[in-house]
């Protein structure tokens, strides 16, 4: 991406030259997707994101390992949902910046015909969305620029209608998303609205931040996020279980993400360095 016109793309605004001029990246303000990208070792972030990431990691040592454990949970969850539950359709909200392996890569490896709709409300994720739009010839991926807190805009979107068949089971994945939404009643309303539109046999997969195992570190980390204008909320196990109301939570229940169907990588983590719960549940 070197031969682009700087006036049309972002370089003339102090933004990188791959950023379209009509997208306001708000590069001077930390953003959750870019802080996450920085902490995971990515390159799609700005000084404000790096400063926020460094500050948070300092106050919450182990944050980068916890985030990696969460990303690995996403991949194991997607594999299990595709192979053990036979799900071929995925609605992933709060997708984040492309990080290998992306969800569609995991599920299309298991079942090439899988269809995926990615949703995020971050302009920088939108800029990178084309990297998410690769697909096997048999399957399909789509990207939707929408907000989790407006579920109707997701359900009524052309991207969803042309990619997913809601009469068949769908896996709704909310991975490391709801900790950025302080209002629990709102989260519940959105989950209930989305799940109500899905066929029986559909799956809800969710991971989110908790301070249950390292309360002091997580409290400091939450304060650092909030100090940088990112509304982070850590929640206890009962609250996270509540997000699955009306659904059958599947084995092993709501557990720290490295304890969910662990593989060799997950076995390398200890409880006090993983600040995320994860689980999946089935709609009956
Ligand atoms: C920490 S990242 C998680 C990325 C990915 N799901 C993962 O676990 O690796 C959180 C993502 O949620 C997105 N996000 C936050 N609030 C959102 C909202 N209200 N609607 C849609 N996306 C949101 C952010 O832009 C960011 O990309």
């Amino acid at each position: 991406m070197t031969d682009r016109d700087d006036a049309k793309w972002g370089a003339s605004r102090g933004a990188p030259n791959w950023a379209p001029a009509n997208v306001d990246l708000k590069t001077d303000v930390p953003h959750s997707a870019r802080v996450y990208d920085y902490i995971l070792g990515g390159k799609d972030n700005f000084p404000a994101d790096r400063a926020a990431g460094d500050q948070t990691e300092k106050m919450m040592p182990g944050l980068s390992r916890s985030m990696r454990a969460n990303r690995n949970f996403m991949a194991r969850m997607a594999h299990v949902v595709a192979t053990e539950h036979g799900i071929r359709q995925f609605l992933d909200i709060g997708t984040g910046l492309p990080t290998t392996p992306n969800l569609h890569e995991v599920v299309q490896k298991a079942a090439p015909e899988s269809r995926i709709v990615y949703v995020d409300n971050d302009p920088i994720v939108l800029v990178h969305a084309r990297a998410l739009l690769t697909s096997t010839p048999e399957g399909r991926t789509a990207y939707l620029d929408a907000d989790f807190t407006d579920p109707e805009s997701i359900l009524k979107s052309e991207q969803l209608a042309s990619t997913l068949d809601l009469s068949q089971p769908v896996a709704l994945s909310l991975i490391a998303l709801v900790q950025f939404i302080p209002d629990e009643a709102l989260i519940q309303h959105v989950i209930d609205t989305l799940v109500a539109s899905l066929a029986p046999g559909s799956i809800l997969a969710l991971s989110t931040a908790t301070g249950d195992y390292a309360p002091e570190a997580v409290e400091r980390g939450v304060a650092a996020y909030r100090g940088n204008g990112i509304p982070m909320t850590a929640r206890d196990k009962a609250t996270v279980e509540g997000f699955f109301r009306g659904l059958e939570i599947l084995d092993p229940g709501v557990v720290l993400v490295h304890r969910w169907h662990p593989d060799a990588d997950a076995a390398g983590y200890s409880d006090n360095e993983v600040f995320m719960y994860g689980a999946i549940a089935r709609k009956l």
Side-chain angles (χ1 to χ4, degrees):
M1 295 184 205
T2 50
D3 54 353
R4 286 181 172 161
D5 174 6
D6 280 358
K8 183 172 167 209
W9 297 81
S12 59
R13 295 169 295 139
N17 63 1
W18 43 259
N22 61 351
V23 174
D24 182 1
L25 297 175
K26 297 192 174 73
T27 56
D28 51 344
V29 180
H31 189 283
S32 60
R34 302 187 306 234
V35 174
Y36 185 68
D37 175 71
Y38 170 62
I39 292 174
L40 282 177
K43 54 183 175 15
D44 298 314
N45 45 71
F46 301 99
D49 307 309
R50 296 193 274 277
D54 287 343
Q55 189 189 358
T56 312
E57 175 90 47
K58 210 163 140 191
M59 295 176 84
M60 194 179 184
L63 178 63
S64 55
R65 275 181 66 72
S66 180
M67 286 183 164
R68 269 190 205 100
N70 175 70
R71 190 74 197 173
N72 294 347
F73 163 78
M74 184 283 291
R76 296 198 309 284
M77 174 282 292
H79 180 76
V80 166
V81 168
T83 56
E84 294 182 20
H85 299 278
I87 302 281
R88 299 289 177 261
Q89 308 192 93
F90 293 79
L91 175 57
D92 180 61
I93 308 179
T95 296
L97 290 161
T99 306
T100 302
N102 293 294
L103 188 146
H104 71 280
E105 294 163 335
V106 176
V107 299
Q108 290 188 336
K109 191 170 175 193
E113 71 275 27
S114 300
R115 294 169 163 248
I116 300 93
V117 175
Y118 287 120
V119 183
D120 206 289
N121 70 347
D122 181 8
I124 200 170
V125 179
L126 174 64
V127 167
H128 286 263
R130 63 189 172 283
L132 294 164
L133 294 176
T134 58
S135 171
T136 54
E138 305 92 322
R140 185 182 290 187
T141 56
Y143 181 81
L144 173 62
D145 179 19
D147 201 293
F148 169 75
T149 60
D150 182 7
E152 298 300 339
S153 73
I154 298 171
L155 292 169
K156 290 188 178 141
S157 69
E158 189 277 323
Q159 288 89 334
L160 189 141
S162 61
T163 311
L164 305 182
D165 172 2
L166 294 192
S167 72
Q168 298 300 313
V170 170
L172 167 63
S173 66
L174 309 175
I175 307 301
L177 167 67
V178 300
Q179 68 260 32
F180 299 113
I181 297 158
D183 182 344
E184 267 141 39
L186 176 60
I187 296 170
Q188 196 68 64
H189 163 74
V190 175
I191 290 176
D192 291 350
T193 304
L194 292 170
V195 169
S197 301
L198 304 181
S202 291
I203 297 273
L204 169 64
L206 180 147
S207 72
T208 193
T210 184
D212 281 1
Y213 288 79
E216 286 160 19
V218 171
E219 198 177 313
R220 287 195 302 273
V222 165
Y225 263 105
R226 289 187 182 166
N228 283 303
I230 299 175
M232 164 74 81
T233 302
R235 297 188 166 97
D236 64 14
K237 186 173 180 174
T239 305
V240 178
E241 284 172 341
F243 291 143
F244 294 93
R245 76 178 177 194
L247 304 173
E248 178 194 13
I249 299 182
L250 300 176
D251 189 53
V254 172
V255 293
L256 290 177
V257 286
H258 68 296
R259 291 186 169 274
W260 195 92
H261 294 259
D263 59 6
D265 174 84
Y269 291 89
S270 53
D271 289 353
N272 62 3
E273 61 176 353
V274 176
F275 315 129
M276 301 288 291
Y277 276 133
I280 70 170
R282 179 167 44 213
K283 179 173 177 175
L284 297 171

